Protein backbone atom coordinates (compact mmCIF):
# COMPACT_ATOMS: atom_id res chain seq x y z
CA UNK A 1 0.00 0.00 0.00
CA UNK A 2 1.31 3.47 -0.89
CA UNK A 3 1.38 6.12 1.83
CA UNK A 4 2.59 9.71 1.81
CA UNK A 5 5.11 11.26 4.17
CA UNK A 6 6.52 14.72 4.80
CA UNK A 7 10.29 14.46 4.33
CA UNK A 8 11.39 18.09 4.55
CA UNK A 9 10.14 21.48 5.70
CA UNK A 10 11.12 25.07 5.00
CA UNK A 11 9.94 28.59 5.73
CA UNK A 12 10.56 32.21 4.92
CA UNK A 13 9.74 35.46 6.69
CA UNK A 14 10.29 38.88 5.10
CA UNK A 15 13.01 40.99 6.74
CA UNK A 16 10.82 43.91 7.81
CA UNK A 17 9.30 43.52 11.28
CA UNK A 18 6.34 45.64 12.35
CA UNK A 19 5.89 45.71 16.13
CA UNK A 20 2.82 46.61 18.13
CA UNK A 21 4.66 49.77 19.14
CA UNK A 22 5.08 50.67 15.47
CA UNK A 23 1.31 50.19 15.06
CA UNK A 24 0.65 52.54 17.99
CA UNK A 25 2.04 55.29 15.75
CA UNK A 26 -0.23 54.31 12.84
CA UNK A 27 -3.69 53.69 14.38
CA UNK A 28 -5.47 54.24 17.70
CA UNK A 29 -4.25 51.08 19.44
CA UNK A 30 -1.88 49.93 22.17
CA UNK A 31 0.64 47.15 22.55
CA UNK A 32 -1.30 46.04 25.63
CA UNK A 33 -4.63 45.78 23.73
CA UNK A 34 -3.09 43.76 20.89
CA UNK A 35 -1.13 41.43 23.20
CA UNK A 36 -4.00 40.79 25.58
CA UNK A 37 -6.66 40.26 22.86
CA UNK A 38 -4.53 38.32 20.36
CA UNK A 39 -1.11 37.34 21.77
CA UNK A 40 0.56 39.09 18.83
CA UNK A 41 3.71 41.11 19.54
CA UNK A 42 5.10 41.59 16.04
CA UNK A 43 4.59 40.51 12.43
CA UNK A 44 6.71 40.46 9.26
CA UNK A 45 5.84 42.62 6.25
CA UNK A 46 6.87 41.84 2.66
CA UNK A 47 9.07 44.38 0.87
CA UNK A 48 7.68 46.42 -2.02
CA UNK A 49 7.87 44.21 -5.09
CA UNK A 50 8.25 41.01 -3.05
CA UNK A 51 5.61 38.55 -4.27
CA UNK A 52 3.94 35.46 -2.81
CA UNK A 53 5.89 33.35 -5.33
CA UNK A 54 9.22 34.86 -4.17
CA UNK A 55 8.49 33.93 -0.58
CA UNK A 56 7.26 30.49 -1.69
CA UNK A 57 10.51 29.97 -3.57
CA UNK A 58 12.63 30.71 -0.49
CA UNK A 59 10.56 28.36 1.69
CA UNK A 60 10.61 25.67 -1.03
CA UNK A 61 14.39 25.83 -1.36
CA UNK A 62 14.73 25.22 2.39
CA UNK A 63 12.34 22.26 2.19
CA UNK A 64 14.28 20.84 -0.77
CA UNK A 65 17.58 21.20 1.11
CA UNK A 66 16.10 19.55 4.20
CA UNK A 67 14.73 16.60 2.21
CA UNK A 68 17.55 16.18 -0.30
CA UNK A 69 14.99 16.39 -3.11
CA UNK A 70 16.04 18.17 -6.32
CA UNK A 71 13.58 20.44 -8.13
CA UNK A 72 13.50 18.07 -11.11
CA UNK A 73 12.09 15.27 -8.93
CA UNK A 74 8.96 17.27 -7.99
CA UNK A 75 5.95 16.15 -10.03
CA UNK A 76 3.20 18.04 -8.17
CA UNK A 77 3.18 21.62 -6.84
CA UNK A 78 0.25 22.97 -4.82
CA UNK A 79 0.40 26.53 -3.52
CA UNK A 80 -2.14 27.55 -0.88
CA UNK A 81 -2.64 31.29 -1.05
CA UNK A 82 -5.31 33.96 -0.84
CA UNK A 83 -2.86 36.61 -2.00
CA UNK A 84 -1.57 35.29 -5.35
CA UNK A 85 0.94 37.24 -7.44
CA UNK A 86 -1.83 37.97 -9.98
CA UNK A 87 -5.34 36.82 -10.96
CA UNK A 88 -3.74 34.30 -13.30
CA UNK A 89 -1.61 32.34 -14.00
CA UNK A 90 -1.46 30.57 -10.69
CA UNK A 91 1.28 31.31 -8.17
CA UNK A 92 2.11 27.59 -8.39
CA UNK A 93 2.98 27.95 -12.08
CA UNK A 94 5.07 31.05 -11.35
CA UNK A 95 6.83 29.14 -8.56
CA UNK A 96 7.45 26.19 -10.88
CA UNK A 97 9.17 28.54 -13.33
CA UNK A 98 11.26 30.12 -10.55
CA UNK A 99 12.34 26.61 -9.53
CA UNK A 100 13.57 26.12 -13.10
CA UNK A 101 11.39 23.11 -13.85
CA UNK A 102 8.48 22.32 -16.16
CA UNK A 103 6.09 19.45 -16.72
CA UNK A 104 4.94 18.86 -13.14
CA UNK A 105 1.30 19.52 -12.28
CA UNK A 106 0.95 22.94 -10.60
CA UNK A 107 -2.10 24.69 -9.22
CA UNK A 108 -3.22 27.01 -6.43
CA UNK A 109 -5.52 26.09 -3.55
CA UNK A 110 -7.94 28.75 -2.27
CA UNK A 111 -9.32 27.89 1.15
CA UNK A 112 -8.02 31.01 2.95
CA UNK A 113 -6.54 30.16 6.37
CA UNK A 114 -7.36 26.45 5.83
CA UNK A 115 -5.55 26.44 2.49
CA UNK A 116 -2.51 24.54 3.69
CA UNK A 117 -4.60 21.72 5.23
CA UNK A 118 -6.65 21.51 2.02
CA UNK A 119 -3.45 21.45 -0.08
CA UNK A 120 -1.72 18.87 2.11
CA UNK A 121 -4.80 16.63 1.96
CA UNK A 122 -4.97 16.95 -1.83
CA UNK A 123 -1.27 16.10 -2.23
CA UNK A 124 -1.71 13.12 0.11
CA UNK A 125 -4.57 11.82 -2.08
CA UNK A 126 -2.53 12.20 -5.29
CA UNK A 127 0.49 10.46 -3.77
CA UNK A 128 -1.52 7.62 -2.22
CA UNK A 129 -3.31 7.03 -5.52
CA UNK A 130 0.08 6.50 -7.16
CA UNK A 131 -0.50 9.39 -9.59
CA UNK A 132 2.40 11.49 -8.31
CA UNK A 133 5.50 10.59 -6.35
CA UNK A 134 6.91 13.82 -4.96
CA UNK A 135 4.82 16.85 -4.03
CA UNK A 136 5.81 20.36 -2.98
CA UNK A 137 3.07 21.92 -0.85
CA UNK A 138 3.42 25.60 0.04
CA UNK A 139 1.45 28.17 2.01
CA UNK A 140 2.44 31.72 1.11
CA UNK A 141 0.66 34.95 1.98
CA UNK A 142 1.07 38.73 1.77
CA UNK A 143 -1.90 39.90 3.84
CA UNK A 144 -0.25 43.29 4.38
CA UNK A 145 -1.57 44.19 0.90
CA UNK A 146 -5.15 43.15 1.74
CA UNK A 147 -5.35 45.29 4.87
CA UNK A 148 -6.78 48.74 5.40
CA UNK A 149 -3.96 50.22 7.47
CA UNK A 150 -6.43 52.74 8.92
CA UNK A 151 -8.67 49.97 10.34
CA UNK A 152 -7.34 49.05 13.78
CA UNK A 153 -9.75 46.13 14.12
CA UNK A 154 -8.04 44.18 11.33
CA UNK A 155 -4.60 45.65 10.53
CA UNK A 156 -3.07 44.56 13.84
CA UNK A 157 -3.91 40.87 13.27
CA UNK A 158 -2.04 39.72 10.19
CA UNK A 159 1.48 39.22 8.85
CA UNK A 160 3.32 37.95 5.77
CA UNK A 161 5.33 34.74 5.31
CA UNK A 162 5.62 31.35 3.65
CA UNK A 163 6.10 27.73 4.67
CA UNK A 164 6.67 24.63 2.55
CA UNK A 165 6.80 20.86 2.87
CA UNK A 166 8.06 18.17 0.54
CA UNK A 167 6.05 14.96 0.51
CA UNK A 168 6.86 11.66 -1.09
CA UNK A 169 5.65 8.08 -1.37
CA UNK A 170 6.44 5.90 1.63
CA UNK A 171 5.87 2.33 2.78
CA UNK A 172 4.94 3.58 6.25
CA UNK A 173 2.06 6.00 6.84
CA UNK A 174 3.12 9.60 7.47
CA UNK A 175 -0.23 11.28 6.87
CA UNK A 176 -2.60 9.15 8.97
CA UNK A 177 -5.85 10.92 8.26
CA UNK A 178 -7.31 14.20 7.02
CA UNK A 179 -10.74 15.77 7.33
CA UNK A 180 -11.94 18.84 5.40
CA UNK A 181 -15.15 20.83 5.93
CA UNK A 182 -16.80 24.03 4.72
CA UNK A 183 -19.90 26.10 5.43
CA UNK A 184 -20.47 28.62 2.65
CA UNK A 185 -23.53 30.07 4.34
CA UNK A 186 -21.06 32.00 6.53
CA UNK A 187 -19.05 33.50 3.67
CA UNK A 188 -19.86 37.10 4.59
CA UNK A 189 -18.41 36.89 8.11
CA UNK A 190 -14.81 37.15 6.92
CA UNK A 191 -14.16 38.29 3.38
CA UNK A 192 -12.33 40.47 0.89
CA UNK A 193 -15.15 41.17 -1.56
CA UNK A 194 -13.21 43.11 -4.19
CA UNK A 195 -13.17 41.78 -7.74
CA UNK A 196 -11.83 42.97 -11.06
CA UNK A 197 -14.27 44.26 -13.69
CA UNK A 198 -13.61 46.48 -16.66
CA UNK A 199 -10.05 47.06 -15.46
CA UNK A 200 -11.19 48.37 -12.07
CA UNK A 201 -11.55 46.90 -8.61
CA UNK A 202 -15.23 46.52 -7.76
CA UNK A 203 -16.36 46.30 -4.15
CA UNK A 204 -14.19 46.69 -1.09
CA UNK A 205 -10.56 45.72 -1.83
CA UNK A 206 -9.79 45.25 1.88
CA UNK A 207 -10.38 42.38 4.28
CA UNK A 208 -13.36 42.77 6.61
CA UNK A 209 -14.51 40.51 9.43
CA UNK A 210 -16.86 40.05 12.35
CA UNK A 211 -14.16 39.17 14.87
CA UNK A 212 -16.27 37.72 17.66
CA UNK A 213 -18.30 35.51 15.27
CA UNK A 214 -15.04 34.13 13.85
CA UNK A 215 -13.70 33.55 17.35
CA UNK A 216 -16.66 31.48 18.57
CA UNK A 217 -17.00 29.51 15.35
CA UNK A 218 -13.24 28.78 15.28
CA UNK A 219 -13.12 27.28 18.78
CA UNK A 220 -16.21 25.14 18.11
CA UNK A 221 -15.15 23.62 14.80
CA UNK A 222 -11.47 23.24 15.69
CA UNK A 223 -12.50 21.21 18.73
CA UNK A 224 -14.93 19.06 16.71
CA UNK A 225 -12.57 18.37 13.81
CA UNK A 226 -9.69 17.49 16.15
CA UNK A 227 -11.83 14.85 17.88
CA UNK A 228 -13.11 13.52 14.55
CA UNK A 229 -9.58 13.20 13.16
CA UNK A 230 -7.90 11.66 16.21
CA UNK A 231 -10.68 9.24 17.11
CA UNK A 232 -11.10 8.34 13.41
CA UNK A 233 -7.48 7.16 13.51
CA UNK A 234 -8.13 4.98 16.57
CA UNK A 235 -5.98 7.21 18.75
CA UNK A 236 -6.72 9.19 21.92
CA UNK A 237 -6.12 12.91 22.39
CA UNK A 238 -3.42 11.92 24.92
CA UNK A 239 -1.52 10.24 22.03
CA UNK A 240 -0.98 13.64 20.39
CA UNK A 241 2.59 14.83 20.96
CA UNK A 242 2.13 18.21 19.28
CA UNK A 243 -0.86 20.30 18.28
CA UNK A 244 -0.07 22.81 15.53
CA UNK A 245 -3.16 24.98 15.12
CA UNK A 246 -3.62 27.82 12.67
CA UNK A 247 -2.04 30.85 14.31
CA UNK A 248 -4.84 33.43 14.32
CA UNK A 249 -5.12 34.39 17.95
CA UNK A 250 -3.58 32.94 21.13
CA UNK A 251 -6.98 32.99 22.87
CA UNK A 252 -8.53 30.82 20.13
CA UNK A 253 -5.54 28.47 20.45
CA UNK A 254 -5.75 28.32 24.26
CA UNK A 255 -9.53 27.81 24.31
CA UNK A 256 -9.31 25.00 21.76
CA UNK A 257 -6.41 23.28 23.54
CA UNK A 258 -8.34 23.46 26.82
CA UNK A 259 -11.45 21.89 25.28
CA UNK A 260 -9.27 19.15 23.80
CA UNK A 261 -7.51 18.62 27.14
CA UNK A 262 -4.15 19.21 25.45
CA UNK A 263 -1.72 21.14 27.71
CA UNK A 264 -0.22 24.30 26.18
CA UNK A 265 3.25 22.71 26.57
CA UNK A 266 2.22 20.44 23.68
CA UNK A 267 1.00 23.29 21.46
CA UNK A 268 3.34 24.96 18.96
CA UNK A 269 2.67 28.70 18.86
CA UNK A 270 4.22 31.35 16.64
CA UNK A 271 1.38 33.87 16.63
CA UNK A 272 3.37 36.18 18.93
CA UNK A 273 6.13 36.62 16.35
CA UNK A 274 4.28 36.11 13.06
CA UNK A 275 0.71 37.32 13.59
CA UNK A 276 -1.86 35.54 11.44
CA UNK A 277 -0.17 34.50 8.18
CA UNK A 278 -3.28 32.64 6.93
CA UNK A 279 -2.34 29.62 4.77
CA UNK A 280 1.33 30.03 5.69
CA UNK A 281 0.87 29.81 9.45
CA UNK A 282 0.86 26.02 9.90
CA UNK A 283 3.83 25.18 7.64
CA UNK A 284 5.76 28.07 9.22
CA UNK A 285 5.08 26.78 12.74
CA UNK A 286 5.81 23.19 11.66
CA UNK A 287 9.17 24.17 10.16
CA UNK A 288 10.20 26.06 13.29
CA UNK A 289 9.35 23.12 15.56
CA UNK A 290 11.11 20.64 13.27
CA UNK A 291 14.26 22.76 13.10
CA UNK A 292 14.46 23.46 16.83
CA UNK A 293 14.19 19.73 17.52
CA UNK A 294 10.83 19.64 19.29
CA UNK A 295 9.30 17.39 16.64
CA UNK A 296 10.89 13.95 16.65
CA UNK A 297 10.52 10.75 14.69
CA UNK A 298 7.38 8.66 15.32
CA UNK A 299 5.59 11.48 17.16
CA UNK A 300 1.94 12.22 16.42
CA UNK A 301 1.27 15.76 15.24
CA UNK A 302 -2.19 17.20 14.78
CA UNK A 303 -2.45 20.13 12.34
CA UNK A 304 -5.74 22.03 12.26
CA UNK A 305 -7.11 25.21 10.81
CA UNK A 306 -10.19 27.33 10.21
CA UNK A 307 -10.58 30.19 7.78
CA UNK A 308 -12.95 32.26 5.72
CA UNK A 309 -15.69 30.49 3.85
CA UNK A 310 -15.91 29.13 6.48
CA UNK A 311 -13.48 26.33 5.73
CA UNK A 312 -11.84 24.10 8.30
CA UNK A 313 -9.88 20.91 8.50
CA UNK A 314 -7.34 18.79 10.31
CA UNK A 315 -4.53 16.42 9.39
CA UNK A 316 -2.96 13.84 11.68
CA UNK A 317 0.69 13.08 10.94
CA UNK A 318 3.07 10.44 12.25
CA UNK A 319 6.51 12.05 11.90
N1 LIG B 1 -6.84 48.51 19.43
C1 LIG B 1 -7.63 49.03 20.40
N2 LIG B 1 -8.96 48.82 20.43
C2 LIG B 1 -9.49 48.07 19.45
C3 LIG B 1 -8.73 47.51 18.43
C4 LIG B 1 -7.34 47.76 18.44
N3 LIG B 1 -6.51 47.27 17.52
N4 LIG B 1 -9.54 46.81 17.61
C5 LIG B 1 -10.77 46.91 18.10
N5 LIG B 1 -10.75 47.70 19.21
C6 LIG B 1 -11.86 48.08 20.07
C7 LIG B 1 -13.19 47.99 19.39
O1 LIG B 1 -13.42 49.16 18.64
C8 LIG B 1 -14.13 47.85 20.56
O2 LIG B 1 -14.33 49.13 21.11
P1 LIG B 1 -15.79 49.57 21.66
O3 LIG B 1 -16.09 48.59 22.76
O4 LIG B 1 -15.58 50.95 22.11
O5 LIG B 1 -16.72 49.42 20.49
C9 LIG B 1 -13.31 47.06 21.57
O6 LIG B 1 -11.93 47.17 21.16
C10 LIG B 1 -13.69 45.63 21.69
O7 LIG B 1 -13.75 45.10 20.39
P2 LIG B 1 -14.10 43.60 20.18
O8 LIG B 1 -14.14 43.34 18.69
O9 LIG B 1 -15.27 43.23 21.00
O10 LIG B 1 -12.82 42.91 20.80
P3 LIG B 1 -12.58 41.38 21.03
O11 LIG B 1 -12.22 41.16 22.43
O12 LIG B 1 -13.66 40.54 20.41
O13 LIG B 1 -11.27 41.13 20.17
C11 LIG B 1 -10.54 40.29 18.05
C12 LIG B 1 -11.27 41.40 18.78
C13 LIG B 1 -9.11 40.24 18.54
C14 LIG B 1 -10.57 40.57 16.57
C15 LIG B 1 -11.24 38.96 18.38
O14 LIG B 1 -12.63 39.05 18.14
C16 LIG B 1 -10.69 37.86 17.57
O15 LIG B 1 -9.54 37.47 17.71
N6 LIG B 1 -11.50 37.24 16.72
C17 LIG B 1 -11.04 36.19 15.88
C18 LIG B 1 -10.81 36.78 14.59
C19 LIG B 1 -9.53 36.34 13.96
O16 LIG B 1 -8.61 35.82 14.54
N7 LIG B 1 -9.50 36.58 12.69
C20 LIG B 1 -8.39 36.27 11.93
C21 LIG B 1 -8.81 35.75 10.65
S1 LIG B 1 -9.81 34.39 10.80
C22 LIG B 1 -8.90 33.14 10.99
O17 LIG B 1 -7.75 33.19 10.68
C23 LIG B 1 -9.55 32.02 11.55
Amino acid sequence: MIHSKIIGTGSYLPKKILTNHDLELMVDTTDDWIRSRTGIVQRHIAADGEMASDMALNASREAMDASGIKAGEIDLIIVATTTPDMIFPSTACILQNKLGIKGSAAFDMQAVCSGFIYALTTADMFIRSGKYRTALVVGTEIYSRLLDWNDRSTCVLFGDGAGAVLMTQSNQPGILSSHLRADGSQHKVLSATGSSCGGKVQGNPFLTMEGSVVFKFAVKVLTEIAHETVIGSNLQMSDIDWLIPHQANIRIIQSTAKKLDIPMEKVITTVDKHGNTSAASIPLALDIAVRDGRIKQDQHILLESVGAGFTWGATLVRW
Side-chain angles (χ1 to χ4, degrees), residues 20-319:
N20 293 349
H21 293 296
D22 295 329
L23 281 163
E24 286 175 346
L25 305 174
M26 296 165 64
V27 286
D28 182 14
T29 193
T30 60
D31 173 53
D32 182 56
W33 192 96
I34 302 170
R35 272 180 203 247
S36 61
R37 294 300 221 287
T38 71
I40 300 168
V41 178
Q42 62 170 53
R43 68 289 288 144
H44 292 250
I45 303 291
D48 289 346
E50 193 168 31
M51 305 303 281
S53 63
D54 297 320
M55 302 201 306
L57 179 65
N58 289 325
S60 301
R61 282 188 175 141
E62 275 200 6
M64 286 178 346
D65 284 348
S67 60
I69 293 285
K70 303 256 183 311
E73 296 171 67
I74 297 167
D75 50 12
L76 172 65
I77 299 173
I78 310 180
V79 172
T81 186
T82 317
T83 50
D85 288 16
M86 52 191 79
I87 294 173
F88 68 80
S90 70
T91 302
C93 283
I94 298 168
L95 172 63
Q96 186 202 50
N97 184 52
K98 287 182 177 173
L99 285 167
I101 55 175
K102 43 177 97 163
S104 65
F107 59 90
D108 285 1
M109 181 65 70
Q110 217 313 14
V112 202
C113 301
S114 308
F116 183 76
I117 298 291
Y118 269 64
L120 195 68
T121 304
T122 306
D124 173 52
M125 294 291 168
F126 273 124
I127 290 174
R128 283 200 285 123
S129 74
K131 183 80 182 163
Y132 298 113
R133 197 178 178 81
T134 306
L136 172 64
V137 181
V138 188
T140 181
E141 299 280 21
I142 306 189
Y143 265 57
S144 59
R145 293 182 195 149
L146 261 189
L147 298 172
D148 176 353
W149 287 99
N150 296 310
D151 176 8
R152 68 178 183 174
S153 69
T154 53
C155 76
V156 303
L157 302 175
F158 296 89
D160 302 335
V165 301
L166 263 159
M167 298 167 73
T168 193
Q169 285 181 353
S170 158
N171 296 329
Q172 299 297 319
I175 307 293
L176 298 181
S177 141
S178 281
H179 295 257
L180 303 179
R181 298 277 181 271
D183 178 357
S185 72
Q186 309 260 13
H187 71 276
K188 290 186 179 159
V189 171
L190 173 58
S191 58
T193 57
S195 60
S196 170
C197 182
K200 293 190 180 129
V201 175
Q202 308 255 309
N204 184 351
F206 298 120
L207 175 155
T208 58
M209 96 182 155
E210 295 172 45
S212 60
V213 177
V214 176
F215 193 107
K216 284 181 205 136
F217 188 84
V219 174
K220 177 177 175 291
V221 298
L222 288 172
T223 306
E224 286 169 4
I225 202 91
H227 277 295
E228 193 178 332
T229 307
V230 171
I231 288 157
S233 300
N234 294 321
L235 291 172
Q236 304 294 317
M237 215 45 85
S238 54
D239 295 319
I240 300 303
D241 295 291
W242 295 107
L243 174 67
I244 307 188
H246 169 49
Q247 308 284 317
N249 180 317
I250 195 68
R251 292 188 300 138
I252 295 177
I253 295 172
Q254 287 165 338
S255 302
T256 308
K258 193 171 174 198
K259 282 181 185 285
L260 295 174
D261 211 13
I262 294 180
M264 281 306 286
E265 294 73 45
K266 288 182 164 190
V267 183
I268 309 286
T269 60
T270 53
V271 67
D272 56 334
K273 294 199 174 62
H274 302 171
N276 180 348
T277 57
S278 190
S281 91
I282 289 179
L284 262 164
L286 175 66
D287 182 53
I288 283 166
V290 167
R291 283 172 194 270
D292 69 20
R294 274 177 287 176
I295 292 181
K296 298 185 176 59
Q297 199 177 354
D298 290 330
Q299 286 185 333
H300 288 114
I301 301 146
L302 181 63
L303 314 173
E304 64 167 355
S305 193
V306 57
F310 283 116
T311 55
W312 65 103
T315 298
L316 183 60
V317 180
R318 184 179 299 136
W319 202 253

